[in-house]
Amino acid sequence: MNILIVGSGGRESAFAYKLSQSPRLKSLFIAPGNAGTGKYGENVSIHVNDFEALAEFCLEKEVKMVIVGPEEPLVKGLHDYFLSREDLAHIGVVGPQKQGAMLEGSKEFSKEFMVRHNIPTASFAAFTAENFQEGIEYLRKQELPIVLKADGLAAGKGVLICNSFQEAEESFHKMIHEKQFGDASSTVVIEQFLSGIELSVFVLTDGESYKVLPSAKDYKRIGEGDQGLNTGGMGSVSPVPFADDEFIKKVEDRIIKPTVDGLKEENIPYKGFIFIGLMNVGGDPYVIEYNVRMGDPETQSVLTRIESDLIDLLDGVISNTLEEKEYKVSPKTAATVVCVSGGYPGDYVKGKVIDNIEHVEDSIVFHAGTSLENGEIVTSGGRVLAVTSVQETLFEALQQATADAGRIFYAGKYFRKDIGFDLLD
Ligand code: AMP
Ligand code: GLY
């Protein structure tokens, strides 16, 4: 089968790596890809939101399956576009249509969906410029800290946790009246703060049945000891030791089943991944957010533990036969350490030559922000590489991935040396 992956990060590199292991793969294309994805397939210089060019490319290369990595093309309707054209009817798209993508595209929609289906989540209310004053009154009645969320996509930056009412009111004003996050914050969700430990659970669904993929924990802050600014993710671990069978059963019964059934009941077609961000509050799971895609760098730790053929599973999603598909997960632990450009998540330089990747033997180096310039691999983004090691124990996986992240060289390299060590006893 010929397959096209849409995206260019570490997540898409992990998809390319995993798909390239399948005997069912004929040709793999990645649009636009990065310096590392070229190892598994052919990079194609098409923007992720250029639906027409993606479609023409699929027709030209006889692509049968399109896997969409990031949320933006899904929220903008890439899948709907493919369904709208008869000449593309034979091409399956993994990733929900616009309506399903609202689970990530609108916090208000996703919170209301959870309420309709009795899915545990923090209490909330949503406000716009029209009922701004009501919002202020609502805020004043809540307990601190209080969480403010831009309703729309805000590149992972639209969530503010406020420790005083003054801060909360000022932020609420900035979000709504000064468009702090552009149109994304014209509606703001005010939400109860949940105290607990975060983790993520991933689900693959064809809209009828589902497979619960391995759990993972992501490390979002730039600094060691979870200090400093939020990033896209500095590392990940799978499985999550505290997410034992009992906890995962609660997640399945209280969250996953009602989510998939709820989509079905509301006639919202959904083929693809659901990434459920959870808070473990005293042993009970609460949904913090849904994403309609896989996480980055969680994908690197999740896919490397899946032993079944990924093309087979995704084919099951497209043809509504997921239930029949074999699905096996390795009991080993995967750890991923992300190497970033100095200065990230603020300003950083690009174009630094990357050396020594070939000296890494016991980890997989997934490229993220890299490109090829005059035959050399250079940095081209904030998150540059994700180094993943799969080992018998959590300790070995962490040690190996961290040591291997240290073997790679480029000017300004930074990585956290404490990823996952909080999970060791
Ligand atoms: P989100 O973009 O919704 O994932 O939120 C970003 C981060 O903010 C999450 O990963 C949590 O760490 C934190 N967060 C979001 N909502 C809540 C909440 N209700 N209670 C506590 N922390 C939250
Ligand atoms: N690592 C978090 C995300 O992909 O959104």
Side-chain angles (χ1 to χ4, degrees), residues 397-421:
L398 294 173
Q399 218 181 19
Q400 191 66 50
T402 308
D404 283 332
R407 288 193 168 89
I408 296 164
F409 290 116
Y410 55 84
K413 183 185 77 167
Y414 168 75
F415 65 99
R416 277 180 60 171
K417 296 173 194 67
D418 68 335
I419 298 297
F421 284 92

PDB file of all heavy atoms in Angstrom, residues 397-421:
ATOM      1  N   ALA A 397      15.547   2.165  30.398  1.00  0.00           N
ATOM      2  CA  ALA A 397      15.083   2.982  29.263  1.00  0.00           C
ATOM      3  C   ALA A 397      15.465   4.446  29.473  1.00  0.00           C
ATOM      4  O   ALA A 397      15.945   5.118  28.562  1.00  0.00           O
ATOM      5  CB  ALA A 397      13.574   2.839  29.091  1.00  0.00           C
ATOM      6  N   LEU A 398      15.277   4.930  30.706  1.00  0.00           N
ATOM      7  CA  LEU A 398      15.591   6.329  31.009  1.00  0.00           C
ATOM      8  C   LEU A 398      17.087   6.584  30.882  1.00  0.00           C
ATOM      9  O   LEU A 398      17.519   7.575  30.294  1.00  0.00           O
ATOM     10  CB  LEU A 398      15.147   6.667  32.432  1.00  0.00           C
ATOM     11  CG  LEU A 398      13.638   6.644  32.690  1.00  0.00           C
ATOM     12  CD1 LEU A 398      13.357   6.823  34.179  1.00  0.00           C
ATOM     13  CD2 LEU A 398      12.959   7.740  31.880  1.00  0.00           C
ATOM     14  N   GLN A 399      17.860   5.661  31.438  1.00  0.00           N
ATOM     15  CA  GLN A 399      19.311   5.815  31.426  1.00  0.00           C
ATOM     16  C   GLN A 399      19.834   5.830  29.983  1.00  0.00           C
ATOM     17  O   GLN A 399      20.656   6.663  29.612  1.00  0.00           O
ATOM     18  CB  GLN A 399      19.909   4.633  32.163  1.00  0.00           C
ATOM     19  CG  GLN A 399      21.087   5.002  33.001  1.00  0.00           C
ATOM     20  CD  GLN A 399      21.647   3.774  33.686  1.00  0.00           C
ATOM     21  OE1 GLN A 399      21.402   2.633  33.305  1.00  0.00           O
ATOM     22  NE2 GLN A 399      22.427   4.019  34.706  1.00  0.00           N
ATOM     23  N   GLN A 400      19.319   4.907  29.183  1.00  0.00           N
ATOM     24  CA  GLN A 400      19.798   4.778  27.809  1.00  0.00           C
ATOM     25  C   GLN A 400      19.410   5.997  26.964  1.00  0.00           C
ATOM     26  O   GLN A 400      20.240   6.549  26.250  1.00  0.00           O
ATOM     27  CB  GLN A 400      19.208   3.506  27.178  1.00  0.00           C
ATOM     28  CG  GLN A 400      19.843   3.140  25.865  1.00  0.00           C
ATOM     29  CD  GLN A 400      21.304   2.747  26.027  1.00  0.00           C
ATOM     30  OE1 GLN A 400      21.649   1.930  26.867  1.00  0.00           O
ATOM     31  NE2 GLN A 400      22.169   3.369  25.242  1.00  0.00           N
ATOM     32  N   ALA A 401      18.147   6.406  27.051  1.00  0.00           N
ATOM     33  CA  ALA A 401      17.693   7.544  26.229  1.00  0.00           C
ATOM     34  C   ALA A 401      18.434   8.815  26.645  1.00  0.00           C
ATOM     35  O   ALA A 401      18.840   9.620  25.801  1.00  0.00           O
ATOM     36  CB  ALA A 401      16.185   7.727  26.369  1.00  0.00           C
ATOM     37  N   THR A 402      18.634   8.986  27.968  1.00  0.00           N
ATOM     38  CA  THR A 402      19.309  10.188  28.458  1.00  0.00           C
ATOM     39  C   THR A 402      20.775  10.182  28.028  1.00  0.00           C
ATOM     40  O   THR A 402      21.310  11.200  27.557  1.00  0.00           O
ATOM     41  CB  THR A 402      19.184  10.276  29.998  1.00  0.00           C
ATOM     42  OG1 THR A 402      17.796  10.151  30.339  1.00  0.00           O
ATOM     43  CG2 THR A 402      19.714  11.587  30.537  1.00  0.00           C
ATOM     44  N   ALA A 403      21.432   9.020  28.149  1.00  0.00           N
ATOM     45  CA  ALA A 403      22.841   8.927  27.743  1.00  0.00           C
ATOM     46  C   ALA A 403      22.966   9.174  26.243  1.00  0.00           C
ATOM     47  O   ALA A 403      23.865   9.897  25.790  1.00  0.00           O
ATOM     48  CB  ALA A 403      23.398   7.548  28.104  1.00  0.00           C
ATOM     49  N   ASP A 404      22.064   8.619  25.456  1.00  0.00           N
ATOM     50  CA  ASP A 404      22.150   8.781  24.002  1.00  0.00           C
ATOM     51  C   ASP A 404      21.851  10.215  23.568  1.00  0.00           C
ATOM     52  O   ASP A 404      22.435  10.709  22.599  1.00  0.00           O
ATOM     53  CB  ASP A 404      21.239   7.776  23.290  1.00  0.00           C
ATOM     54  CG  ASP A 404      21.864   6.380  23.291  1.00  0.00           C
ATOM     55  OD1 ASP A 404      23.110   6.300  23.332  1.00  0.00           O
ATOM     56  OD2 ASP A 404      21.121   5.388  23.248  1.00  0.00           O
ATOM     57  N   ALA A 405      20.946  10.888  24.295  1.00  0.00           N
ATOM     58  CA  ALA A 405      20.689  12.307  23.981  1.00  0.00           C
ATOM     59  C   ALA A 405      21.986  13.099  24.180  1.00  0.00           C
ATOM     60  O   ALA A 405      22.267  14.053  23.451  1.00  0.00           O
ATOM     61  CB  ALA A 405      19.582  12.856  24.874  1.00  0.00           C
ATOM     62  N   GLY A 406      22.791  12.658  25.145  1.00  0.00           N
ATOM     63  CA  GLY A 406      24.069  13.326  25.424  1.00  0.00           C
ATOM     64  C   GLY A 406      25.142  13.060  24.366  1.00  0.00           C
ATOM     65  O   GLY A 406      26.121  13.786  24.271  1.00  0.00           O
ATOM     66  N   ARG A 407      24.975  12.030  23.571  1.00  0.00           N
ATOM     67  CA  ARG A 407      25.997  11.673  22.561  1.00  0.00           C
ATOM     68  C   ARG A 407      25.922  12.538  21.305  1.00  0.00           C
ATOM     69  O   ARG A 407      26.822  12.546  20.501  1.00  0.00           O
ATOM     70  CB  ARG A 407      25.809  10.214  22.134  1.00  0.00           C
ATOM     71  CG  ARG A 407      26.224   9.264  23.201  1.00  0.00           C
ATOM     72  CD  ARG A 407      26.351   7.821  22.700  1.00  0.00           C
ATOM     73  NE  ARG A 407      27.033   7.086  23.747  1.00  0.00           N
ATOM     74  CZ  ARG A 407      26.407   6.471  24.757  1.00  0.00           C
ATOM     75  NH1 ARG A 407      25.105   6.422  24.797  1.00  0.00           N
ATOM     76  NH2 ARG A 407      27.103   5.898  25.716  1.00  0.00           N
ATOM     77  N   ILE A 408      24.793  13.210  21.143  1.00  0.00           N
ATOM     78  CA  ILE A 408      24.583  13.984  19.910  1.00  0.00           C
ATOM     79  C   ILE A 408      25.105  15.402  20.120  1.00  0.00           C
ATOM     80  O   ILE A 408      25.002  15.941  21.219  1.00  0.00           O
ATOM     81  CB  ILE A 408      23.066  13.986  19.580  1.00  0.00           C
ATOM     82  CG1 ILE A 408      22.625  12.548  19.289  1.00  0.00           C
ATOM     83  CG2 ILE A 408      22.752  14.909  18.429  1.00  0.00           C
ATOM     84  CD1 ILE A 408      21.128  12.340  19.315  1.00  0.00           C
ATOM     85  N   PHE A 409      25.655  16.001  19.053  1.00  0.00           N
ATOM     86  CA  PHE A 409      26.206  17.351  19.174  1.00  0.00           C
ATOM     87  C   PHE A 409      25.567  18.329  18.208  1.00  0.00           C
ATOM     88  O   PHE A 409      25.353  17.990  17.048  1.00  0.00           O
ATOM     89  CB  PHE A 409      27.714  17.354  18.876  1.00  0.00           C
ATOM     90  CG  PHE A 409      28.522  16.682  19.938  1.00  0.00           C
ATOM     91  CD1 PHE A 409      29.234  15.527  19.631  1.00  0.00           C
ATOM     92  CD2 PHE A 409      28.576  17.182  21.221  1.00  0.00           C
ATOM     93  CE1 PHE A 409      29.978  14.881  20.606  1.00  0.00           C
ATOM     94  CE2 PHE A 409      29.320  16.539  22.205  1.00  0.00           C
ATOM     95  CZ  PHE A 409      30.021  15.387  21.895  1.00  0.00           C
ATOM     96  N   TYR A 410      25.244  19.512  18.702  1.00  0.00           N
ATOM     97  CA  TYR A 410      25.029  20.686  17.852  1.00  0.00           C
ATOM     98  C   TYR A 410      25.105  21.896  18.769  1.00  0.00           C
ATOM     99  O   TYR A 410      24.855  21.781  19.982  1.00  0.00           O
ATOM    100  CB  TYR A 410      23.700  20.634  17.069  1.00  0.00           C
ATOM    101  CG  TYR A 410      22.446  20.448  17.892  1.00  0.00           C
ATOM    102  CD1 TYR A 410      21.805  21.552  18.490  1.00  0.00           C
ATOM    103  CD2 TYR A 410      21.887  19.202  18.068  1.00  0.00           C
ATOM    104  CE1 TYR A 410      20.660  21.392  19.224  1.00  0.00           C
ATOM    105  CE2 TYR A 410      20.725  19.027  18.813  1.00  0.00           C
ATOM    106  CZ  TYR A 410      20.124  20.128  19.388  1.00  0.00           C
ATOM    107  OH  TYR A 410      18.991  19.955  20.132  1.00  0.00           O
ATOM    108  N   ALA A 411      25.474  23.038  18.218  1.00  0.00           N
ATOM    109  CA  ALA A 411      25.652  24.237  19.036  1.00  0.00           C
ATOM    110  C   ALA A 411      24.329  24.590  19.706  1.00  0.00           C
ATOM    111  O   ALA A 411      23.293  24.626  19.050  1.00  0.00           O
ATOM    112  CB  ALA A 411      26.136  25.382  18.166  1.00  0.00           C
ATOM    113  N   GLY A 412      24.381  24.790  21.011  1.00  0.00           N
ATOM    114  CA  GLY A 412      23.191  25.237  21.742  1.00  0.00           C
ATOM    115  C   GLY A 412      22.256  24.117  22.145  1.00  0.00           C
ATOM    116  O   GLY A 412      21.143  24.372  22.578  1.00  0.00           O
ATOM    117  N   LYS A 413      22.724  22.866  22.030  1.00  0.00           N
ATOM    118  CA  LYS A 413      21.822  21.750  22.374  1.00  0.00           C
ATOM    119  C   LYS A 413      21.433  21.787  23.862  1.00  0.00           C
ATOM    120  O   LYS A 413      22.268  22.060  24.719  1.00  0.00           O
ATOM    121  CB  LYS A 413      22.511  20.411  22.077  1.00  0.00           C
ATOM    122  CG  LYS A 413      21.603  19.214  22.350  1.00  0.00           C
ATOM    123  CD  LYS A 413      22.332  17.895  22.177  1.00  0.00           C
ATOM    124  CE  LYS A 413      23.222  17.619  23.373  1.00  0.00           C
ATOM    125  NZ  LYS A 413      23.712  16.232  23.405  1.00  0.00           N
ATOM    126  N   TYR A 414      20.167  21.518  24.142  1.00  0.00           N
ATOM    127  CA  TYR A 414      19.712  21.392  25.534  1.00  0.00           C
ATOM    128  C   TYR A 414      18.725  20.246  25.621  1.00  0.00           C
ATOM    129  O   TYR A 414      17.920  20.041  24.710  1.00  0.00           O
ATOM    130  CB  TYR A 414      19.039  22.701  26.003  1.00  0.00           C
ATOM    131  CG  TYR A 414      18.297  22.533  27.314  1.00  0.00           C
ATOM    132  CD1 TYR A 414      18.994  22.443  28.528  1.00  0.00           C
ATOM    133  CD2 TYR A 414      16.901  22.414  27.332  1.00  0.00           C
ATOM    134  CE1 TYR A 414      18.308  22.238  29.722  1.00  0.00           C
ATOM    135  CE2 TYR A 414      16.214  22.210  28.532  1.00  0.00           C
ATOM    136  CZ  TYR A 414      16.928  22.126  29.719  1.00  0.00           C
ATOM    137  OH  TYR A 414      16.250  21.922  30.888  1.00  0.00           O
ATOM    138  N   PHE A 415      18.841  19.458  26.689  1.00  0.00           N
ATOM    139  CA  PHE A 415      17.813  18.439  26.958  1.00  0.00           C
ATOM    140  C   PHE A 415      17.705  18.247  28.463  1.00  0.00           C
ATOM    141  O   PHE A 415      18.637  18.540  29.203  1.00  0.00           O
ATOM    142  CB  PHE A 415      18.133  17.112  26.254  1.00  0.00           C
ATOM    143  CG  PHE A 415      19.388  16.426  26.737  1.00  0.00           C
ATOM    144  CD1 PHE A 415      19.316  15.378  27.651  1.00  0.00           C
ATOM    145  CD2 PHE A 415      20.644  16.813  26.275  1.00  0.00           C
ATOM    146  CE1 PHE A 415      20.468  14.744  28.100  1.00  0.00           C
ATOM    147  CE2 PHE A 415      21.806  16.186  26.720  1.00  0.00           C
ATOM    148  CZ  PHE A 415      21.718  15.145  27.635  1.00  0.00           C
ATOM    149  N   ARG A 416      16.554  17.802  28.904  1.00  0.00           N
ATOM    150  CA  ARG A 416      16.359  17.549  30.336  1.00  0.00           C
ATOM    151  C   ARG A 416      16.951  16.196  30.703  1.00  0.00           C
ATOM    152  O   ARG A 416      16.685  15.199  30.025  1.00  0.00           O
ATOM    153  CB  ARG A 416      14.857  17.585  30.678  1.00  0.00           C
ATOM    154  CG  ARG A 416      14.346  19.001  30.903  1.00  0.00           C
ATOM    155  CD  ARG A 416      12.875  19.023  31.238  1.00  0.00           C
ATOM    156  NE  ARG A 416      12.558  18.277  32.465  1.00  0.00           N
ATOM    157  CZ  ARG A 416      11.372  18.300  33.062  1.00  0.00           C
ATOM    158  NH1 ARG A 416      10.399  19.042  32.565  1.00  0.00           N
ATOM    159  NH2 ARG A 416      11.159  17.588  34.155  1.00  0.00           N
ATOM    160  N   LYS A 417      17.700  16.183  31.797  1.00  0.00           N
ATOM    161  CA  LYS A 417      18.339  14.927  32.216  1.00  0.00           C
ATOM    162  C   LYS A 417      17.519  14.211  33.289  1.00  0.00           C
ATOM    163  O   LYS A 417      17.962  13.222  33.858  1.00  0.00           O
ATOM    164  CB  LYS A 417      19.759  15.207  32.717  1.00  0.00           C
ATOM    165  CG  LYS A 417      20.648  15.750  31.620  1.00  0.00           C
ATOM    166  CD  LYS A 417      22.004  16.201  32.137  1.00  0.00           C
ATOM    167  CE  LYS A 417      22.719  17.049  31.086  1.00  0.00           C
ATOM    168  NZ  LYS A 417      22.049  18.355  30.833  1.00  0.00           N
ATOM    169  N   ASP A 418      16.327  14.759  33.564  1.00  0.00           N
ATOM    170  CA  ASP A 418      15.525  14.164  34.650  1.00  0.00           C
ATOM    171  C   ASP A 418      14.214  13.562  34.149  1.00  0.00           C
ATOM    172  O   ASP A 418      13.335  13.238  34.955  1.00  0.00           O
ATOM    173  CB  ASP A 418      15.211  15.231  35.704  1.00  0.00           C
ATOM    174  CG  ASP A 418      14.262  16.296  35.160  1.00  0.00           C
ATOM    175  OD1 ASP A 418      14.231  16.499  33.914  1.00  0.00           O
ATOM    176  OD2 ASP A 418      13.549  16.925  35.959  1.00  0.00           O
ATOM    177  N   ILE A 419      14.080  13.404  32.818  1.00  0.00           N
ATOM    178  CA  ILE A 419      12.820  12.867  32.294  1.00  0.00           C
ATOM    179  C   ILE A 419      12.547  11.501  32.923  1.00  0.00           C
ATOM    180  O   ILE A 419      13.411  10.618  32.915  1.00  0.00           O
ATOM    181  CB  ILE A 419      12.868  12.730  30.744  1.00  0.00           C
ATOM    182  CG1 ILE A 419      13.057  14.076  30.071  1.00  0.00           C
ATOM    183  CG2 ILE A 419      11.631  11.980  30.202  1.00  0.00           C
ATOM    184  CD1 ILE A 419      11.961  15.100  30.276  1.00  0.00           C
ATOM    185  N   GLY A 420      11.374  11.347  33.484  1.00  0.00           N
ATOM    186  CA  GLY A 420      10.932  10.044  33.988  1.00  0.00           C
ATOM    187  C   GLY A 420      11.505   9.599  35.319  1.00  0.00           C
ATOM    188  O   GLY A 420      10.996   8.647  35.916  1.00  0.00           O
ATOM    189  N   PHE A 421      12.523  10.293  35.811  1.00  0.00           N
ATOM    190  CA  PHE A 421      13.129   9.802  37.052  1.00  0.00           C
ATOM    191  C   PHE A 421      12.198   9.975  38.263  1.00  0.00           C
ATOM    192  O   PHE A 421      12.343   9.291  39.261  1.00  0.00           O
ATOM    193  CB  PHE A 421      14.516  10.426  37.266  1.00  0.00           C
ATOM    194  CG  PHE A 421      15.555   9.797  36.365  1.00  0.00           C
ATOM    195  CD1 PHE A 421      15.841  10.335  35.116  1.00  0.00           C
ATOM    196  CD2 PHE A 421      16.209   8.629  36.735  1.00  0.00           C
ATOM    197  CE1 PHE A 421      16.748   9.717  34.266  1.00  0.00           C
ATOM    198  CE2 PHE A 421      17.130   8.010  35.891  1.00  0.00           C
ATOM    199  CZ  PHE A 421      17.410   8.564  34.643  1.00  0.00           C
TER     200      PHE A 421
END
